[in-house]
Amino acid sequence: MRWAGTMPPRFPRSRRWLAAGFLVMVAGAGACPADEPRPPSPPDPLSPPGTVRVVYPDEPATLNPVTEPSPAALDLLRPLLPSFFRITPDLGYELSLLAEDPEVVPAGDRTEVRFRIREDAAWSDGMPVTVQDVAFTWRAMTEADAWNPTGFDRLLDVVEDEPKSGRLVLDGEWPGWRDLFSAGRFVLPSHVGDPASVARWNLGPPVTAGPYRLEGWTRGRSVALVADPTHWAGPPAVERLEVLFVPDPTTALQLMDRGQVDVVTPMAGYSWGRRLAEVADGGTSTATGPDVVCLAFNVASVADVDLRRRIAHAIDRARFLEVVLAGEAEPVDGVLAPEQPGAEAAWAGYGTSPSAGEPGTDELDLVHQRTELPDLVARYVQAELERATVDADLVALEPDELYGSFLPARRFDLAVVEVRTGPSPDLWRWIEMPGAGPSLTGLSDPEVVDLAVRAADGSEEALRKAQVRLADLAVVLPLYRPRVTMGWRAGISGPAANPTVEGPLWNVEAWAAS
């Protein structure tokens, strides 16, 4: 059900748990809910020969590479489309579409990035990948209502020197140029339409240039990918991937235990890593990186900065990690991961001095994704806000509602959101910045905008000050960094957890099945 209007209706209120009682209940509840859902069975008990079945938690609304904001769409497009670089789990830029590292050359008040595309890179219809495709992508990202056009306003021109060699002409010096055609944004085919037509690619791109091609999409069930035998790096060892949409973590574990699926990608489940290790007889992979679960504030509806600070102080993040997420998450005091350059622990003081307001004066809607761990996080936040006399209604949403409607339109007061990024420091999700996509908070404070713009130009001092200012304005509260864990059955090799924007399918061409 989709809500009409600008805000969802309020649900009837039941008696609130106190935070301490809530934690005792969770700690003693065991790994699984008492009423476990019955898992749906795939058509065949085991994967057909040559097919690897992959459990994935969310189904995207579309597979549009430009307009679809959901992490699910980015993850599923990763095996289909090329990018300049691939982000590794340790936050490295690994050459992918490019033949060699580009040369960065100052040119007066501009910068040229001279790049060369692999000679053997081609689209699935046989057409070569060329500089024209890079130029086409630049135009599409500025003309097709892109969900994340950040940085493309700094790109003044794409110059073709040869079909496979060209130059990015940048306005001034900009250290984040690597993310223009990487980190969740792909190079698109220019020979299948004009830039405006990209907005209609909701079923995916017409042609691909990744290790896999899109075989089909069965709504509500799965996406099938088939290996591209002409891929420039050679065809993948796994002939076919069937990505099954299984939103419930317990169901995913049951399917793995029965041998009906081969790989389970990271899911937001309670005690997820431990439970997955018990059924994944082939092994598991865990990583922690620039993946942060945050409480975001809509500054238009929670305009009082003192109220936002009161809410941020009321939430004891350390206690939640100790009791509910022990071994499954790491503490975080910043919106950037500690591994990212310029990260500042500016939120370290929150949760240390809770203060109360006037009882019953504040009533807010708290939206979150409808699944195990976000449900627990939202309930804990709701209980903690009792200490600040803030009345919070919980609104649980399916992923397509959360990412397709509520977050982009800021149809919430508070939201529990998980944000994955790449190696580059990224603040645009929290600030309304020129040339960037819409932020989650709607914050347009002139001081923090100026700092964020200078930070994007490469000033680490401005980046640190911007984070301090964000923390002071309390428009976002980092809650924890999840340990991203995926697992597989015996006979599967190659999967590796990637906590960056690249997601769990970042290296599917290296997977193998015996």
Side-chain angles (χ1 to χ4, degrees), residues 266-408:
M267 302 186 75
Y270 177 62
S271 295
W272 174 249
R274 178 180 61 80
R275 293 162 63 192
L276 181 58
E278 291 175 353
V279 299
D281 56 3
T284 61
S285 173
T286 299
T288 306
D291 182 355
V292 182
V293 175
C294 300
L295 181 68
F297 297 74
N298 178 1
V299 298
S301 58
V302 193
D304 185 353
V305 66
D306 289 332
L307 173 59
R308 298 199 299 264
R309 290 171 183 155
R310 178 152 52 95
I311 291 172
H313 272 300
I315 302 171
D316 189 338
R317 296 171 292 159
R319 181 169 52 163
F320 185 72
L321 260 68
E322 179 182 355
V323 177
V324 180
L325 297 177
E328 299 288 335
E330 296 181 2
V332 62
D333 286 318
V335 292
L336 302 179
E339 299 88 353
Q340 292 174 293
E344 183 75 15
W347 284 260
Y350 280 116
T352 58
S353 56
S355 59
E358 292 297 323
T361 57
D362 305 307
E363 188 171 0
L364 305 173
D365 285 291
L366 171 58
V367 305
H368 62 93
Q369 187 167 334
R370 189 196 308 275
T371 193
E372 279 183 14
L373 194 52
D375 283 341
L376 288 176
V377 174
R379 290 181 182 184
Y380 178 75
V381 170
Q382 180 190 50
E384 288 286 85
L385 294 191
E386 294 280 357
R387 298 197 299 169
T389 64
V390 174
D391 198 14
D393 275 321
L394 302 187
V395 182
L397 301 169
E398 300 302 326
D400 61 336
E401 293 178 304
L402 182 66
Y403 291 101
S405 175
F406 278 71
L407 293 183

Side-chain angles (χ1 to χ4, degrees), residues 3-311:
W3 306 111
T6 58
M7 288 297 294
R10 299 188 181 276
F11 300 148
R13 182 173 308 286
S14 61
R15 183 180 179 182
R16 293 284 166 78
W17 294 333
L18 294 176
F22 169 80
L23 289 173
V24 169
M25 180 277 296
V26 171
C32 303
D35 298 322
E36 294 180 350
R38 185 175 181 180
S41 296
D44 302 309
L46 300 175
S47 302
T51 295
V52 168
R53 284 194 174 132
V54 182
V55 164
Y56 187 85
D58 305 326
E59 181 176 19
T62 78
L63 282 177
N64 192 297
V66 172
T67 64
E68 175 59 44
S70 67
L74 298 183
D75 289 349
L76 293 173
L77 288 166
R78 173 71 269 179
L80 302 176
L81 289 173
S83 58
F84 275 14
F85 301 94
R86 182 170 61 176
I87 311 302
T88 59
D90 59 357
L91 297 184
Y93 287 99
E94 181 179 273
L95 289 175
S96 183
L97 180 63
L98 299 184
E100 59 193 14
D101 283 320
E103 181 184 8
V104 180
V105 180
D109 59 351
R110 299 181 176 184
T111 300
E112 289 187 356
V113 178
R114 300 173 182 176
F115 65 93
R116 185 164 63 89
I117 298 170
R118 292 179 57 131
E119 289 297 327
D120 49 3
W123 298 101
S124 55
D125 60 0
M127 292 292 291
V129 180
T130 69
V131 175
Q132 289 300 314
D133 297 315
V134 178
F136 174 85
T137 303
W138 166 45
R139 294 193 296 272
M141 291 298 293
T142 56
E143 297 176 17
D145 193 25
W147 77 274
N148 180 15
T150 308
F152 278 93
D153 60 327
R154 307 291 296 267
L155 183 55
L156 302 179
D157 198 4
V158 178
V159 180
E160 178 185 305
D161 298 318
E162 297 178 358
K164 291 280 188 175
S165 299
R167 288 169 283 150
L168 307 179
V169 181
L170 303 174
D171 182 14
E173 296 181 6
W174 185 47
W177 63 266
R178 289 177 180 82
D179 293 346
L180 285 175
F181 302 98
S182 305
R185 297 183 292 188
F186 310 98
V187 175
L188 308 176
S190 61
H191 62 286
V192 294
D194 58 80
S197 69
V198 175
R200 299 190 292 273
W201 293 0
N202 287 346
L203 295 179
V207 295
T208 59
Y212 283 86
R213 300 176 182 178
L214 181 63
E215 182 183 71
W217 183 359
T218 303
R219 292 281 187 173
R221 184 186 183 280
S222 65
V223 160
L225 310 177
V226 61
D228 186 346
T230 65
H231 189 247
W232 63 78
V238 175
E239 298 174 10
R240 186 173 179 273
L241 293 173
E242 186 177 2
V243 182
L244 302 172
F245 302 123
V246 181
D248 178 66
T250 299
T251 301
L253 295 172
Q254 291 172 337
L255 290 172
M256 170 68 84
D257 192 37
R258 294 179 179 182
Q260 293 177 286
V261 297
D262 305 298
V263 179
V264 176
T265 63
M267 302 186 75
Y270 177 62
S271 295
W272 174 249
R274 178 180 61 80
R275 293 162 63 192
L276 181 58
E278 291 175 353
V279 299
D281 56 3
T284 61
S285 173
T286 299
T288 306
D291 182 355
V292 182
V293 175
C294 300
L295 181 68
F297 297 74
N298 178 1
V299 298
S301 58
V302 193
D304 185 353
V305 66
D306 289 332
L307 173 59
R308 298 199 299 264
R309 290 171 183 155
R310 178 152 52 95
I311 291 172

